[in-house]
Amino acid sequence: MSEEIGGEIVPDSTRELEIDNEVDLMIEDLDLWYGSKQALYGVSLPIAKNSVTALIGPSGCGKSTLLRTINRMNDLIPICHYEGKITKGDIEITAKDADLVEIRKNIGMVFQRPNPFPKSIYDNVGYGVRLHHQPTREELDAIVEKSLRRAAIWKEVADRLHDLGTSLSGGQQQRLCIARTIAIEPDVILMDEPCSALDPIATAAIEELILELKKDFTVVIVTHSMSQAARVSDYTGFMYLGRMVEFNKTDKIFSDPDQELTKRYITGRFG
Amino acid sequence: MKEDRVAPLKDIDRLKKRSRSRRNIVEKGGSLTLATSGLVGLFFLLVLVWQIALPTFIEGETGEIYAASEFIPVSEYIMEWDHPNVDENGAILTEVITLKLSWEENGKEQNQDIEIRILPERGIVNDVYINASTGVSTEVLEVSKKAKFHIYSTLEVPINVEQTTGPVPKADATGQPLVSSFVVSADVHLLADDEGIVFEPLELLAWGSLLATTAVMTFPKPFALKQVQRIKGKEKPAKYLFLALAAATLVAGAFSFSSILGALCFLIASTSLLRMHEGLHRLLGQGRTIAETDRLVHSITNRDGVLMWSRMVLFVATLFIPFAIEIPFLTERYQDIFQPYASGIRSAFFGTVWVMSIAMIVSIPVSIGAAIYLEEYAAPTRTTKLIQALVTNLAGVPSIVFGMFGLAIFVKQGGIGMGLGPSILAAGLTMGVMAMPIIVLASQEALRSVPQSLRESAYGVGCTRWQVVKDHVLPSAMPGIMTGSILAMSRIMGEAAPLVVVGAAALVLFDPEPLAGLTGGNVNFTVIPIQIYFWTSEPDHAWHSMAAAASIALIVLLVAMNSIAIILRQHFRRRLNQ
């Protein structure tokens, strides 16, 4: 079953997928519209626990939209509406009466551009924790230190915790945002092109961090860099024009993709 | 990536959880308050639109406007006799002073003696008037110790004053008087305090300590910081010492304006001292030396605006404590139509202050609420767009229309009128409603300029909408909101038209009572622009110079308010962007 869009043969994305790990999130038949423009067409994919799932595809193919639907960030856009189902265990994320705070607490997000709060570094990390818990001063100190250590930024900021988070460099800010996200210990971390605004050194630091985070968190990352997807991810989904063209283990996608379109995109002979 | 590997244990759940139901109550309460205040504001604006749309004929009084006096003096001189009628020990000189006044009238020499008796009681002031038909008003003048008396003349000719008996005023070593004759004045005086410069030692100490801490904060030099370091371990006693000093200043100065300023100086000095010490402690704790002062500036002065406040208070305190400036023009009430130079804008000044305060209290919270509601809560439906268009248009409605609105709603009794009468309360509410659309628009602009990414990051860590607004959007938008509010306030401060309709009076002899509209009592009030207007329409030139002086006072007030807006904006902007 396939249909023709813009001269390209786009295969149907609903196929049975096999993954090794336990399934953390399940996305089923997700259709999404911005106003009258449809952005996602029946996307389905499982997201494996404690692994890195990468979403690749050309600009405007709906990767970020898909990512932002997982923690209901798209609800902030008034003209956006969707059909379909995302479930996490027995919780239905897309339910009308879902507790958004609980969802966003359990599904953290790192954005494309680093966006620390205009508060001190300490408060940036501690804010989310204080939002959901009532830690004592010592407990909070410990959590802030732990989160900053895990985000590989502790040594750079240890002596200036009370400086503004916005006074850091771009790469440091992005790692601060990661520290902020992991401080509240979500189950899933969504990363929307976290390295697009960073230089290669900061990118390497963040990639290493992602591999480290995988041990404790489920990571979903949107990236434009094929090599980055190949380096950090366990599973890769290739999207095109709002459809999930192919989803499989990263090794399989990058060595022997099933679809011709995927092959052409990965080898750079696209369009 | 040489970071130590931390045990990947998920242990956040051992922390005490925040109550979910409490969070929901706060969320509901916050949003509800916001929505209510916003709706109240929008309701007012809608009523206003309705009022404008409905061609109403408004009956009722427009307040009293006194007719200007028909008395036209030919000329006016003031003689000031500044007599030190006490000896070196402060005892009253009982000797009677006689002044001989002489002038030429229609080619004839005129003479008149006045006897001046000094009384030990304070505050008794009598003046002498000379005019063509009745001559000198009195032959015996009783004034109290250290009082200044004036001789007013409406004659066209100069008058000589000669002292015939009594101790010579302000004599120099040779016995020659320093003030040989009277002072003739045709200008508005900005006189210093009659009693000379009064130094209250405690207030001076307060001013000095604030000056010192501000200087150290502005120019942190190591030798000064070493002194600050010496309070280590004595923070608590130091704090209580300053508190005690502040209380003592208040009591010693009998809660006068300068004593309140002095107490404020002590409090801010103590806060800045402790902050500096804290910052130093942190700095040294980070293994830096005391010489790295730029980091100290970074870590203390820009936080909490201590430096900003201390500079502002220091500026005001400098005027009122060491210089002890007292300007009769600002502190004197309106005297009467014959005494332009003895009059002041005190009533008008207080009227302006009260009207502004009420306008501020009424309009700022409601308008900010309305702006937040429109920007952050309301879905972009057709109704919202309609309200938005109405608010935008209201900001451009001529002020006189707001005056009519105020007259109908606040002043008039019956119908939708509240019946507050032509009072300060009605004027303040009218001005508040006038400021509302301006503040709403400025606040909306400020809220819109908060980057969407900040909202997203806040939602991303699991904030509710109220928490996003309260913790992130509002603090970031605050500089814009405050600037907009203060600019709106300074705009309405200069407005005269709506208050003419509401019923500001031309001559107000007493300090206005802000709540007279509700409690009954004297509702008369005036504000500086109205006072200027009525003074300009007086025929006597002296009143024109009074009006000019009042204009200067108004402009100084406006500049002061706009400066505060600039200082606040800079402070917040620096805090956000440093």
Side-chain angles (χ1 to χ4, degrees):
Chain A
M1 219 170 76
S2 65
E3 56 185 299
E4 197 163 340
I5 296 169
E8 297 283 350
I9 303 299
V10 178
D12 190 36
S13 60
T14 48
R15 32 190 293 277
E16 287 304 311
L17 297 154
E18 300 277 325
I19 57 171
D20 296 342
N21 303 45
E22 188 189 336
V23 173
D24 197 353
L25 279 165
M26 194 69 204
I27 302 169
E28 291 166 72
D29 283 326
L30 190 70
D31 292 310
L32 185 141
W33 294 264
Y34 289 119
S36 59
K37 184 180 173 293
Q38 190 163 4
L40 293 179
Y41 296 86
V43 172
S44 299
L45 83 158
I47 288 166
K49 213 178 175 76
N50 291 355
S51 64
V52 179
T53 305
L55 297 175
I56 59 171
S59 293
C61 69
K63 310 180 294 287
S64 296
T65 302
L66 175 61
L67 198 70
R68 291 163 59 92
T69 315
I70 298 176
N71 69 344
R72 299 274 303 259
M73 211 49 115
N74 274 338
D75 287 24
L76 299 182
I77 301 168
I79 57 167
C80 174
H81 64 281
Y82 47 80
E83 280 168 17
K85 206 167 147 193
I86 301 176
T87 47
K88 182 176 188 305
D90 48 5
I91 302 164
E92 192 183 337
I93 289 173
T94 43
K96 280 268 180 287
D97 57 348
D99 183 349
L100 292 186
V101 170
E102 202 60 24
I103 287 172
R104 289 175 187 151
K105 185 186 137 199
N106 289 327
I107 305 178
M109 187 157 195
V110 178
F111 296 85
Q112 185 167 1
R113 298 185 67 83
N115 54 356
F117 300 130
K119 295 173 184 281
S120 72
I121 294 171
Y122 184 95
D123 287 338
N124 255 290
V125 181
Y127 178 77
V129 179
R130 267 192 294 224
L131 214 52
H132 304 292
H133 304 275
Q134 289 175 299
T136 61
R137 188 81 197 170
E138 292 75 35
E139 282 170 338
L140 191 62
D141 287 348
I143 290 172
V144 168
E145 180 176 341
K146 189 176 84 173
S147 311
L148 289 169
R149 272 187 200 283
R150 285 170 127 183
I153 190 182
W154 172 251
K155 285 193 175 151
E156 289 149 75
V157 300
D159 62 344
R160 46 194 284 211
L161 285 179
H162 293 275
D163 286 3
L164 278 181
T166 40
S167 67
L168 297 172
S169 75
Q172 288 173 326
Q173 286 191 15
Q174 192 63 295
R175 277 178 284 156
L176 177 62
C177 290
I178 294 176
R180 176 179 72 192
T181 310
I182 58 186
I184 49 177
E185 297 188 353
D187 300 329
V188 183
I189 297 178
L190 308 175
M191 294 187 171
D192 189 356
E193 295 179 46
C195 303
S196 69
L198 304 182
D199 72 351
I201 297 167
T203 304
I206 290 195
E207 282 180 12
E208 203 160 335
L209 180 60
I210 292 171
L211 292 175
E212 193 71 14
L213 291 175
K214 188 170 94 169
K215 294 171 187 164
D216 307 318
F217 303 98
T218 304
V219 178
V220 184
I221 178 169
V222 164
T223 177
H224 271 298
S225 156
M226 240 83 71
S227 54
Q228 185 174 56
R231 279 196 300 273
V232 300
S233 68
D234 303 306
Y235 298 91
T236 300
F238 169 58
M239 293 182 73
Y240 184 61
L241 295 178
R243 285 165 173 82
M244 183 61 72
V245 178
E246 186 167 359
F247 177 78
N248 217 325
K249 286 194 178 146
T250 303
D251 301 344
K252 178 86 166 70
I253 290 257
F254 280 93
S255 56
D256 177 25
D258 289 340
Q259 304 289 335
E260 181 60 24
L261 199 60
T262 318
K263 196 172 179 181
R264 279 167 57 198
Y265 182 72
I266 286 167
T267 51
R269 289 185 286 111
F270 198 76
Chain B
M1 296 299 281
K2 306 275 187 300
E3 298 282 337
D4 344 7
R5 174 86 177 104
V6 185
L9 186 69
K10 284 208 176 190
D11 54 1
I12 199 156
D13 289 330
R14 77 194 151 74
L15 296 181
K16 199 174 160 210
K17 277 255 191 313
R18 250 186 221 290
S19 154
R20 193 96 63 84
S21 56
R22 194 162 146 248
R23 186 199 74 202
N24 288 344
I25 291 169
V26 172
E27 168 80 14
K28 288 244 166 60
S31 304
L32 202 68
T33 319
L34 198 70
T36 322
S37 77
L39 287 176
V40 167
L42 293 175
F43 169 74
F44 263 116
L45 296 178
L46 284 178
V47 171
L48 176 53
V49 171
W50 171 65
Q51 275 292 312
I52 293 169
L54 202 73
T56 44
F57 179 70
I58 297 166
E59 295 167 40
E61 302 210 355
T62 56
E64 284 173 80
I65 299 173
Y66 292 89
S69 169
E70 287 166 14
F71 179 83
I72 304 169
V74 177
S75 64
E76 183 127 350
Y77 298 104
I78 298 179
M79 291 169 262
E80 287 182 357
W81 187 265
D82 192 4
H83 192 268
N85 31 47
V86 285
D87 64 14
E88 294 86 347
N89 304 321
I92 298 175
L93 298 166
T94 46
E95 207 175 338
V96 168
I97 301 158
T98 315
L99 295 181
K100 183 179 162 196
L101 308 180
S102 54
W103 66 93
E104 240 179 52
E105 201 177 348
N106 305 327
K108 275 195 296 177
E109 186 83 0
Q110 299 276 337
N111 278 308
Q112 177 75 52
D113 285 350
I114 328 175
E115 198 178 297
I116 297 158
R117 292 176 187 161
I118 312 300
L119 305 175
E121 295 93 292
R122 293 182 66 115
I124 299 172
V125 183
N126 278 309
D127 294 323
V128 183
Y129 301 94
I130 307 170
N131 70 45
S133 53
T134 55
V136 178
S137 62
T138 179
E139 285 171 22
V140 179
L141 190 68
E142 290 188 328
V143 292
S144 56
K145 170 183 170 181
K146 277 208 156 192
K148 188 184 269 183
F149 67 86
H150 302 254
I151 302 174
Y152 296 96
S153 159
T154 55
L155 303 173
E156 277 183 307
V157 290
I159 299 163
N160 287 313
V161 178
E162 201 181 322
Q163 187 177 0
T164 49
T165 63
V168 179
K170 284 193 179 167
D172 62 12
T174 64
Q176 287 295 307
L178 285 176
V179 185
S180 57
S181 71
F182 49 83
V183 184
V184 176
S185 150
D187 291 316
V188 178
H189 277 291
L190 298 180
L191 297 172
D193 188 354
D194 287 0
E195 313 226 346
I197 294 170
V198 182
F199 288 110
E200 287 289 340
L202 269 173
E203 288 170 15
L204 267 185
L205 182 67
W207 177 75
S209 58
L210 183 61
L211 182 69
T213 52
T214 313
V216 175
M217 272 201 286
T218 315
F219 310 105
K221 294 274 179 290
F223 67 89
L225 294 176
K226 286 221 175 67
Q227 304 299 315
V228 174
Q229 251 189 316
R230 279 167 51 184
I231 64 164
K232 185 172 170 58
K234 287 175 271 180
E235 291 95 339
K236 274 267 163 65
K239 196 174 161 190
Y240 290 129
L241 175 70
F242 273 109
L243 279 178
L245 279 172
T249 315
L250 274 180
V251 173
F255 295 91
S256 68
F257 183 65
S258 61
S259 75
I260 292 173
L261 265 179
L264 203 61
C265 283
F266 270 130
L267 292 182
I268 291 186
S270 95
T271 312
S272 20
L273 200 63
L274 291 174
R275 279 296 151 78
M276 249 191 302
H277 178 257
E278 207 182 297
L280 264 180
H281 191 68
R282 207 160 48 220
L283 188 78
L284 296 175
Q286 291 170 5
R288 292 172 197 278
T289 67
I290 207 162
E292 291 177 73
T293 47
D294 56 326
R295 290 206 68 84
L296 183 74
V297 175
H298 191 73
S299 80
I300 54 163
T301 52
N302 290 338
R303 192 161 303 140
D304 301 339
V306 176
L307 185 63
M308 178 191 76
W309 287 111
S310 54
R311 278 181 183 163
M312 285 217 270
V313 171
L314 185 67
F315 177 71
V316 179
T318 306
L319 291 180
F320 290 96
I321 295 174
F323 295 148
I325 286 180
E326 199 175 290
I327 303 172
F329 179 67
L330 294 181
T331 55
E332 286 298 321
R333 295 197 187 91
Y334 182 84
Q335 303 292 335
D336 61 46
I337 198 73
F338 306 120
Q339 300 186 40
Y341 298 135
S343 301
I345 53 168
R346 182 191 171 101
S347 319
F349 181 78
F350 275 108
T352 295
V353 169
W354 280 120
V355 169
M356 297 290 298
S357 313
I358 290 171
M360 219 141 115
I361 294 166
V362 170
S363 67
I364 289 182
V366 169
S367 313
I368 295 178
I372 294 175
Y373 180 77
L374 283 176
E375 237 4 80
E376 305 284 326
Y377 279 76
T381 58
R382 200 163 292 170
T383 325
T384 320
K385 282 179 188 155
L386 180 71
I387 292 175
Q388 183 70 60
L390 291 180
V391 171
T392 313
N393 281 312
L394 274 180
V397 167
S399 52
I400 191 90
V401 178
F402 284 96
M404 300 298 276
F405 168 77
L407 184 63
I409 305 274
F410 302 122
V411 180
K412 233 177 64 167
Q413 176 86 54
I416 48 169
M418 292 182 179
L420 296 174
S423 62
I424 289 238
L425 203 54
L429 290 170
T430 309
M431 290 305 214
V433 172
M434 202 180 121
M436 261 181 215
I438 309 174
I439 302 178
V440 170
L441 288 185
S443 308
Q444 273 190 297
E445 205 50 59
L447 290 170
R448 231 173 277 156
S449 70
V450 174
Q452 191 63 25
S453 68
L454 182 65
R455 293 190 182 89
E456 285 184 348
S457 59
Y459 280 118
V461 294
C463 284
T464 58
R465 196 189 285 216
W466 171 242
Q467 285 165 337
V468 171
V469 170
K470 172 176 69 91
D471 292 345
H472 303 285
V473 176
L474 209 47
S476 298
M478 222 41 189
I481 293 180
M482 285 186 130
T483 316
S485 308
I486 294 177
L487 290 182
M489 284 298 131
S490 51
R491 188 194 142 186
I492 62 165
M493 189 161 79
E495 283 290 350
L499 293 188
V500 171
V501 181
V502 168
L507 305 176
V508 176
L509 300 179
F510 304 101
D511 286 351
E513 297 166 38
L515 295 178
L518 283 180
T519 56
N522 179 21
V523 293
N524 278 353
F525 76 99
T526 191
V527 292
I528 301 176
I530 302 267
Q531 190 74 82
I532 292 172
Y533 169 67
F534 282 113
W535 278 350
T536 330
S537 48
E538 292 288 338
D540 182 1
H541 284 302
W543 287 112
H544 299 169
S545 31
M546 290 297 283
S551 311
I552 292 172
L554 185 63
I555 290 170
V556 169
L557 258 179
L558 285 169
V559 170
M561 282 191 67
N562 290 356
S563 318
I564 291 173
I566 291 169
I567 292 173
L568 284 176
R569 190 175 54 204
Q570 294 235 324
H571 166 68
F572 280 107
R573 197 176 279 165
R574 200 181 305 134
R575 213 179 62 177
L576 289 175
N577 299 341
Q578 63 176 241

